[in-house]
Amino acid sequence: MASPLRVAVVGCGMISVYHLRAWQSAGVELVALCDTDRAKAEARAAEFNVSRVYSDAAAMFSDGGIDAVDIAASVGAHGPVARLAADHGVHIMCQKPLTETVAEAERLVDHVGERVRFMVHENYRFRPHYMTVRRWIDGGRIGRVRHAAISCRGSGLCAREGTVPFLVERQPYLTGFKRNLVFETMIHHLDVLRCLCGPLKVVAARLNRLAEGLPGEDTASILLEGENGFIATADGCLVAPGYPQLHGDRLEVIGTTGTIVMELNRIFVVGEEDSAEVVDLLGRYQECFDLTMAAFVTGLQQGTPFETDRLDNLETLRLMESVYRAAGVEVGS
């Protein structure tokens, strides 16, 4: 019987608890945790019974005994840690966005080459409500997809009396982040559209800032096109009063024989609303992490392709970056 995969996790912030639970569910051996704030790594290590703790990723890789690394740190750490991993022959799972720019991602992918397997943690495809839509489309329930529209709405950047907006309190780095909604959030929605509709390119985009005092956009409207005249739209706003502080999504997919609508946690075919499927999004939030990690382990063990391989994710990054270019925003190199 083969020994379990030995996994290290870099980045022990808020989201890491979902990653660590998923790795446990996948049956791997968690061998090391690393965070530049050592106290965070020590706290997670105590919670998940991990013996090796580091504040320096280079030292962690030098000590060896690692088959794969999960990079759950902030985006600025993704490239440097992935390069270290590849140089030590360690397979890579990296949180989205892969890097801050497409050019940087291309350099990283070129550096890693084929030396190790490399998957991006783009987990929206694996969220249960989106998985339901995918299952219905794959099952032929609406025929061939001909048009799609996706949107997200939340109030997380609405002003709050006496304190900062909810999302700023939760993610303080937004106060200095020049790209927000599309880079941080709607990259997921663009990836979902690619997954459901095939290759896309941006025709036009407009971005706006409705929240005060933040440099990044919080509102966006995007027009996309695919093959044979296919069109899709994506729009979002994080300053939408009345909506939950954490955004919710709406998706409409029009096919040749029917139309699927996903409204937050409710999925139905238009005309068949009485048989809608309702998903417990909060109760099943862990599920998308579990499925993502399980797919990574299966891909390594069986030598099969990753659905969100680094090359596939490059296409999502290119789509995201082209939104900014269409809106006249410089993205750098």
Side-chain angles (χ1 to χ4, degrees):
M1 183 175 180
S3 299
L5 191 72
R6 298 171 299 178
V7 173
V9 176
V10 176
C12 297
M14 175 190 66
I15 202 69
S16 66
V17 66
Y18 300 102
H19 287 241
L20 291 162
R21 289 172 184 166
W23 287 122
Q24 286 186 330
S25 296
V28 307
E29 180 184 359
L30 287 167
V31 296
L33 300 182
C34 178
D35 196 289
T36 52
D37 183 342
R38 187 180 177 90
K40 288 184 178 179
E42 289 175 343
R44 287 284 187 243
E47 186 179 357
F48 288 89
N49 194 29
V50 180
S51 59
R52 292 165 55 186
V53 177
Y54 298 85
S55 58
D56 178 60
M60 181 187 76
F61 287 119
S62 293
D63 284 348
I66 300 167
D67 300 315
V69 64
D70 176 9
I71 306 171
S74 58
V75 66
H78 293 181
V81 176
R83 287 170 182 264
L84 279 170
D87 293 345
H88 285 83
V90 173
H91 302 296
I92 302 164
M93 162 80 84
C94 186
Q95 180 71 291
K96 71 85 200 170
L98 182 54
T99 57
E100 291 192 19
T101 67
V102 170
E104 185 183 354
E106 289 172 341
R107 290 192 294 269
L108 175 60
V109 168
D110 185 61
H111 178 86
V112 173
E114 301 295 332
R115 290 182 291 165
V116 297
R117 299 291 304 279
F118 192 169
M119 176 175 165
V120 178
H121 191 277
E122 175 47 79
N123 65 18
Y124 256 51
R125 294 190 188 198
F126 301 103
R127 296 199 70 186
H129 49 336
Y130 283 112
M131 290 288 282
T132 299
V133 174
R134 292 176 65 183
R135 187 175 70 250
W136 287 8
I137 292 173
D138 291 344
R141 195 156 176 185
I142 61 167
R144 178 172 55 85
V145 173
R146 303 176 72 182
H147 175 67
I150 196 168
S151 64
C152 67
R153 297 285 183 273
S155 62
L157 289 180
C158 288
R160 295 193 297 177
E161 186 174 352
T163 186
V164 299
F166 168 77
L167 286 180
V168 175
E169 183 178 57
R170 190 170 183 258
Q171 300 163 269
Y173 62 83
L174 292 178
T175 58
F177 220 58
K178 293 183 180 180
R179 289 181 290 162
N180 182 3
L181 174 61
V182 178
F183 183 85
E184 278 283 291
T185 301
M186 289 190 68
I187 188 171
H188 290 303
H189 302 81
L190 294 171
D191 187 73
V192 165
L193 286 178
R194 283 190 58 242
C195 176
L196 298 178
C197 307
L200 296 168
K201 64 179 182 179
V202 173
V203 176
R206 294 294 182 269
L207 307 178
N208 200 3
R209 294 191 298 272
L210 302 184
E212 295 183 4
L214 295 177
E217 82 286 349
D218 50 52
T219 304
S221 290
I222 306 161
L223 175 65
L224 307 107
E225 67 177 5
E227 297 176 352
N228 301 316
F230 181 90
I231 60 173
T233 59
D235 66 90
C237 182
L238 300 179
V239 195
Y243 280 90
Q245 291 177 321
L246 290 174
H247 75 270
D249 301 339
R250 186 184 193 278
L251 170 67
E252 185 165 1
V253 184
I254 297 172
T256 51
T257 61
T259 299
I260 294 172
V261 172
M262 184 196 85
E263 289 181 332
L264 300 176
N265 66 333
R266 186 168 174 261
I267 308 100
F268 57 89
V269 172
V270 174
E272 302 175 19
E273 288 82 355
D274 290 345
S275 58
E277 186 167 325
V278 179
V279 176
D280 179 5
L281 294 180
L282 184 61
R284 296 177 63 182
Y285 183 63
Q286 179 66 45
E287 189 174 305
C288 63
F289 294 88
D290 293 347
L291 289 171
T292 304
M293 275 47 168
F296 180 79
V297 172
T298 298
L300 285 184
Q301 291 176 337
Q302 300 182 6
T304 51
F306 299 136
E307 182 175 328
T308 55
D309 177 80
R310 85 280 191 222
L311 297 180
D312 177 82
N313 192 254
L314 267 178
E315 295 307 313
T316 296
L317 278 177
R318 289 176 178 129
L319 196 61
M320 178 270 292
E321 196 166 276
S322 64
V323 171
Y324 287 102
R325 295 191 188 282
V329 176
E330 180 59 45
V331 296
S333 59

